[in-house]
Amino acid sequence: MSAATEGNRVSPTPLLDRLAALRPAERWPLARDFIANEARAFFAELRAHAPIYETSEVTLVAKRADVIEVLSLPKVFTVDLYKPKMGDFMLAMDETIVNYRDKSVMRAILAFDDLPKIRAVAAEVADTALDAAGCEIEAVQQLARHVPMRIVQRCFGIHGPDQDLLDWSYANQMDQFNNLPYDDRPDAEAIHQAAEDSRVKLRTLFAQLIPARIAEIKAGTAPDDSLTRILSLNLPAADHFGMDRVVINVGGLLIGAIETTAEAVVNALAELFARPEALAGARAAAEAGDDAVFDGYVWEALRFSPIVAFMFREAASTITIAQGTDREKVIGKGTVVLPLSLSAMFDPDFVPDPEAFRPDRPFHTYLHFGYGHHECLGRYVGGVMIPEIVKRVLRRPAARPLAPVDMAGTPFPQSYRIGLG
């Protein structure tokens, strides 16, 4: 079958046909372009015809069951690709003492009981920003980045200059998640250096914050935030959780909070604005104060427009995945594997009527916060912060997009103008 037709029949795999026409070494750049620009169509072809697709650089895994299998085997499909970027941060470690201990500590200080407060702070900061904007707001910088930055300062206790916090989060997100060997970026070294520089500056900030906060703790005047809690733990020396672990883990809250939240907020808003029926339902739920119903609209919008289309892992040993199926495949040691999370959320074997927008889907439909051993530490914080920011916009009856989301050639939204009056 040709790239387009065989006789009068249209090929069911036009994108895979285009890849097949290339030499193997040329396929990944085009596949990467498909993921960036027509992911759902490409992933549908993969699920139906090539669910475990090998290129010379990476192997794509498209079926939900296989995505979950990869993410469920952290000692086989490792996060070693993170290590040059993250050092000894827990996210770069698989089933280790450091991962187990640090994750336990951070979950203890990110108390579940804080979620109503975090949602309330997000609402207050978002409303203040929207009120100050007047008839129009540039929603990326003035809202979607601004609100999580205030959460970082008020709730996490990282009291740094606004622009520095924004820059440090952006630099690290660029390097850690968008500057991998298979990305083949011409500016890879500059991106990595910017992240390294930001981490030096962040450590300098903590060298000022921590002694001041310890003094406040001793005086009984410290605010109740993540930094105060972690410095008040008094863990025994045998736990090996010293100031170096405080800095790297609290710093991780900054790096993980701002840019990912901003992209999720912008993507959800843009998707809802493009769907009049869903927009009306979301607005009705927002006005009724029904967060459970409203949040469903946000998570479903993000299924269609998630912040990432895939995760990445590296095989530490040779393994056969999807054993016993007709798609069974041997994955060789050292293979970079991309479990396609967006594809998994549209797999009809798991998601009923996947092309329909259904805000009442159960939350386990979604992979917005990852899955398994490396599920996002901030899942529950993001789970209230993201929909609350979106809700504050949609409670404004005149809110509407004035222009498309502008990515400015980057992986992250850079501008999104929304009219308010």
Side-chain angles (χ1 to χ4, degrees):
M1 188 176 294
S2 70
T5 62
E6 181 181 32
N8 293 322
R9 288 188 297 142
V10 176
S11 169
T13 57
L15 301 179
L16 284 172
D17 290 350
R18 288 174 60 188
L19 289 173
L22 300 175
R23 294 180 300 165
E26 298 173 333
R27 290 173 185 167
W28 167 237
L30 181 57
R32 186 170 54 202
D33 183 70
F34 291 160
I35 292 172
N37 297 298
E38 41 194 327
R40 282 167 50 206
F42 179 44
F43 293 166
E45 289 188 23
L46 289 177
R47 289 193 304 272
H49 302 281
I52 304 172
Y53 184 82
E54 297 174 300
T55 75
S56 55
E57 288 87 358
V58 303
T59 293
L60 308 177
V61 177
K63 294 286 289 181
R64 173 88 177 210
D66 304 338
V67 167
I68 297 303
E69 181 179 3
V70 169
L71 297 177
S72 298
L73 299 172
K75 296 294 281 187
V76 178
F77 294 104
T78 73
V79 290
D80 285 352
L81 289 170
Y82 289 102
K83 288 181 179 177
K85 313 291 185 177
M86 297 185 181
D88 60 352
F89 183 50
M90 62 180 166
L91 185 58
M93 301 184 182
D94 296 290
E95 293 188 332
T96 61
I97 292 172
V98 171
N99 181 287
Y100 181 85
R101 180 201 62 209
D102 287 18
K103 192 180 294 180
S104 298
V105 170
M106 296 307 292
R107 282 176 171 163
I109 68 165
L110 293 172
F112 209 86
D113 290 345
D114 290 341
L115 297 181
K117 173 188 173 183
I118 289 172
R119 188 155 195 156
V121 171
E124 174 210 332
V125 175
D127 278 344
T128 299
L130 290 162
D131 290 343
C135 293
E136 177 182 332
I137 191 168
E138 194 293 287
V140 177
Q141 194 72 10
Q142 293 178 269
L143 183 71
R145 286 178 177 147
H146 176 73
V147 176
M149 179 189 66
R150 290 287 181 251
I151 297 289
V152 163
Q153 292 167 328
R154 294 189 192 181
C155 300
F156 299 162
I158 307 175
H159 296 289
D162 290 1
Q163 195 58 52
D164 286 346
L165 298 182
L166 294 170
D167 290 346
W168 298 342
S169 176
Y170 186 88
N172 281 279
Q173 285 288 327
M174 276 294 297
D175 189 43
Q176 293 173 6
F177 300 100
N178 296 279
N179 192 29
L180 281 296
Y182 58 77
D183 288 317
D184 196 27
R185 298 185 65 97
D187 55 352
E189 286 301 319
I191 290 172
H192 183 61
Q193 189 58 53
E196 288 287 306
D197 292 345
S198 75
R199 287 191 282 272
V200 171
K201 294 173 183 175
L202 184 57
R203 287 193 291 270
T204 300
L205 174 65
F206 276 111
Q208 300 168 352
L209 290 180
I210 289 174
R213 183 58 58 86
I214 290 173
E216 291 177 322
I217 292 169
K218 290 178 178 177
T221 59
D224 180 23
D225 56 30
S226 299
L227 184 59
T228 294
R229 291 176 185 176
I230 202 167
L231 291 173
S232 301
L233 287 176
N234 295 317
L235 295 174
D239 283 336
H240 303 291
F241 196 92
M243 285 301 169
D244 59 329
R245 306 312 302 170
V246 171
V247 171
I248 195 170
N249 283 290
V250 178
L253 295 179
L254 161 67
I255 293 166
I258 298 177
E259 208 59 46
T260 52
T261 298
E263 186 173 5
V265 167
V266 169
N267 287 8
L269 281 169
E271 190 69 32
L272 288 169
F273 280 135
R275 296 176 175 272
E277 185 176 346
L279 180 63
R283 281 190 152 135
E287 286 301 321
D290 192 334
D291 288 344
V293 171
F294 179 82
D295 294 1
Y297 282 93
V298 174
W299 305 130
E300 182 71 349
L302 286 171
R303 185 172 71 91
F304 285 85
S305 186
I307 64 172
V308 293
F310 58 84
M311 288 161 263
F312 49 88
R313 298 290 187 266
E314 184 175 0
S317 57
T318 297
I319 187 173
T320 300
I321 64 172
Q323 281 193 343
T325 71
D326 58 3
R327 62 183 185 277
E328 178 178 303
K329 181 84 71 173
V330 175
I331 304 295
K333 179 180 179 179
T335 301
V336 175
V337 177
L338 305 187
L340 304 173
S341 48
L342 189 158
S343 177
M345 292 190 288
F346 279 83
D347 188 340
D349 289 347
F350 185 86
V351 181
D353 197 9
E355 293 299 323
F357 189 102
R358 286 175 36 183
D360 59 346
R361 295 187 189 274
F363 192 78
H364 62 252
T365 302
Y366 308 116
L367 295 172
H368 301 320
F369 296 99
Y371 181 89
H373 187 58
H374 290 289
E375 181 184 56
C376 178
L377 177 70
R379 168 185 173 176
Y380 295 106
V381 173
V384 296
M385 182 166 52
I386 292 164
E388 188 61 32
I389 300 170
V390 175
K391 184 174 75 174
R392 305 328 286 188
V393 175
L394 297 188
R395 283 174 60 90
R396 312 270 165 152
R400 67 209 182 278
L402 300 178
V405 176
D406 183 4
M407 306 294 287
T410 76
F412 304 110
Q414 299 300 320
S415 177
Y416 188 38
R417 292 172 51 232
I418 294 178
L420 300 172

